[in-house]
Amino acid sequence: MSYSQTDNDDNNDLHVLDILNEMRHQGLERAFIYSLMEHCQCFEGIRDLMEMWFEAHDSKERDKIITDLQESLDDIENAPQSLERRPYLHFDDLEKIRKDVTSFKERLREEVDRQGGIGELARRTGIPQSSLSRLFSSTAMPRRTTLFKIAKALNLPETAVGFKWTI
Amino acid sequence: MEIVITEWALQCYLNLRGVFTRDDYLNTLRPDVVLTVYPYHSKFDNDKFWGPCKDKSGKVIHQGYKMKWHNIGSGRIQLRLLVVITNNKAHLCNAYVKDNESTDKREMAKLKTKIYLINNGTFAYRGMLI
């Protein structure tokens, strides 16, 4: 089987490199950029977001795109090995879950702030600052893998971030 | 057609606190979503209610569809629910408030990754809607 790289493929690859270089120049975490490099060839959605980031001029918009890129990377890297069924949750249970999630995140955020804040946590975990901000401001369940990274960065035992409502 | 509640849909519902009420959910949103069991309901001919997803270039995203509500909740916001239809199942994915075109484009990009994972059978779900 032979593979031939077309001029269009070359241009696309170079454009991706331009974007990744710009991301590095803008101070985005190395681990994040490496993950994008790993997945952007296979996942068109990742490339779309990268191109949108490159074309955006507003820093707030860029932050939103970075957060969405991290979300997509999390979807890919934490995907179950096969179809996974999780317990059904009734709509009327969601408000109680939201309150539990908010309370947990507030306590964790206090520890984050004690140890230098979100910026410092981003540096230690390799997770973009905007993603961490969204994590703490949202009422969605946190991912276990993200909590473990945060625990390690804060020198906490994993039990300290043990929480019922994680994914 | 079965309606699958993916983990992504559940997380979005958790995050949409205050956007719609319990009444909105029971009387408007859920009944509309249940219609996907019967994909030939006349509501699906209305492009203000249902249509294919398109990416930032305007290209149709295969298997991706959008359900739309234009005046939901006390804030009268535009709510969108993205549905991936494959293997005779409607997979409920991200739900979001459409506050501008940029939000929409970002959600379409994220949907492409979800479509891949759904077709690959590597995703989590919380059961069936009905």
Side-chain angles (χ1 to χ4, degrees):
Chain A
M1 186 173 85
S2 65
Y3 169 77
S4 71
Q5 181 96 350
T6 64
D7 284 344
N8 202 40
D9 291 336
D10 286 341
N11 287 337
N12 287 340
D13 287 347
L14 287 172
H15 186 49
V16 165
L17 284 175
D18 284 342
I19 298 172
L20 293 170
N21 276 331
E22 175 64 11
M23 285 181 164
R24 190 71 197 112
H25 180 68
Q26 292 293 326
L28 286 168
E29 291 77 12
R30 212 179 279 262
F32 174 73
I33 294 172
Y34 285 155
S35 285
L36 292 177
M37 271 175 62
E38 186 183 344
H39 296 298
C40 68
Q41 294 302 331
C42 293
F43 290 91
E44 193 177 307
I46 295 277
R47 285 202 303 283
D48 283 358
L49 284 168
M50 287 171 67
E51 284 167 10
M52 289 170 67
W53 180 87
F54 194 67
E55 291 158 13
H57 300 294
D58 179 71
S59 63
K60 283 185 181 165
E61 182 61 21
R62 277 192 157 188
D63 280 348
K64 287 179 188 174
I65 295 169
I66 292 298
T67 305
D68 284 341
L69 274 166
Q70 183 65 57
E71 186 183 311
S72 284
L73 288 175
D74 286 341
D75 283 346
I76 294 163
E77 292 171 357
N78 296 301
Q81 297 287 314
S82 59
L83 188 60
E84 184 177 307
R85 169 75 192 257
R86 293 176 183 166
Y88 177 80
L89 296 173
H90 198 275
F91 181 79
D92 287 333
D93 296 330
L94 296 184
E95 189 51 37
K96 169 75 169 60
I97 294 170
R98 280 192 198 106
K99 284 181 180 161
D100 287 350
V101 168
T102 301
S103 176
F104 170 79
K105 287 182 179 180
E106 280 173 359
R107 289 196 305 276
L108 186 58
R109 181 65 194 261
E110 284 172 6
E111 184 59 33
V112 169
D113 288 342
R114 250 198 300 274
Q115 293 200 35
I118 293 280
E120 176 62 15
L121 187 64
R123 192 189 65 76
R124 291 186 196 180
T125 57
I127 299 171
Q129 196 164 326
S130 57
S131 294
L132 291 169
S133 294
R134 185 185 280 185
L135 167 73
F136 285 105
S137 63
S138 85
T139 47
M141 295 180 197
R143 291 181 191 267
R144 267 188 296 277
T145 50
T146 304
L147 290 181
F148 290 154
K149 282 183 189 174
I150 292 174
K152 189 176 172 189
L154 299 178
N155 278 322
L156 298 173
E158 284 183 359
T159 48
V161 294
F163 178 55
K164 180 182 175 184
W165 300 116
T166 57
I167 54 173
Chain B
M1 188 183 293
E2 291 178 309
I3 304 174
V4 180
I5 306 170
T6 70
E7 182 71 65
W8 301 305
L10 173 69
Q11 295 310 317
C12 285
Y13 274 129
L14 277 173
N15 218 20
L16 287 170
R17 176 178 55 181
V19 167
F20 54 85
T21 64
R22 188 174 185 277
D23 279 349
D24 288 328
Y25 173 75
L26 290 176
N27 298 326
T28 303
L29 303 178
R30 196 176 190 283
D32 280 345
V33 174
V34 167
L35 289 177
T36 52
V37 169
Y38 307 108
Y40 304 114
H41 192 283
S42 59
K43 265 189 124 167
F44 291 94
D45 294 331
N46 179 1
D47 62 7
K48 291 202 183 315
F49 171 72
W50 175 263
C53 290
K54 293 181 183 175
D55 70 11
K56 66 183 183 73
S57 309
K59 192 176 78 177
V60 169
I61 299 174
H62 178 56
Q63 299 172 330
Y65 296 87
K66 200 188 286 188
M67 193 169 276
K68 313 171 197 178
W69 295 275
H70 297 275
N71 279 301
I72 277 287
S74 58
R76 313 318 286 164
I77 54 95
Q78 293 204 49
L79 187 65
R80 300 287 181 268
L81 171 65
L82 304 182
V83 183
V84 174
I85 297 187
T86 179
N87 292 334
N88 205 36
K89 291 186 173 73
H91 302 78
L92 309 184
C93 295
N94 278 26
Y96 60 97
V97 174
K98 185 191 168 180
D99 46 14
N100 57 50
E101 288 303 320
S102 165
T103 300
D104 223 39
K105 286 177 182 170
R106 288 188 281 108
E107 292 291 339
M108 295 300 110
K110 289 192 292 183
L111 183 69
K112 287 183 178 181
T113 298
K114 290 173 173 61
I115 289 173
Y116 175 95
L117 294 171
I118 288 170
N119 283 324
N120 208 36
T122 50
F123 69 99
Y125 72 107
R126 291 278 182 167
M128 305 300 189
L129 192 62
I130 55 168

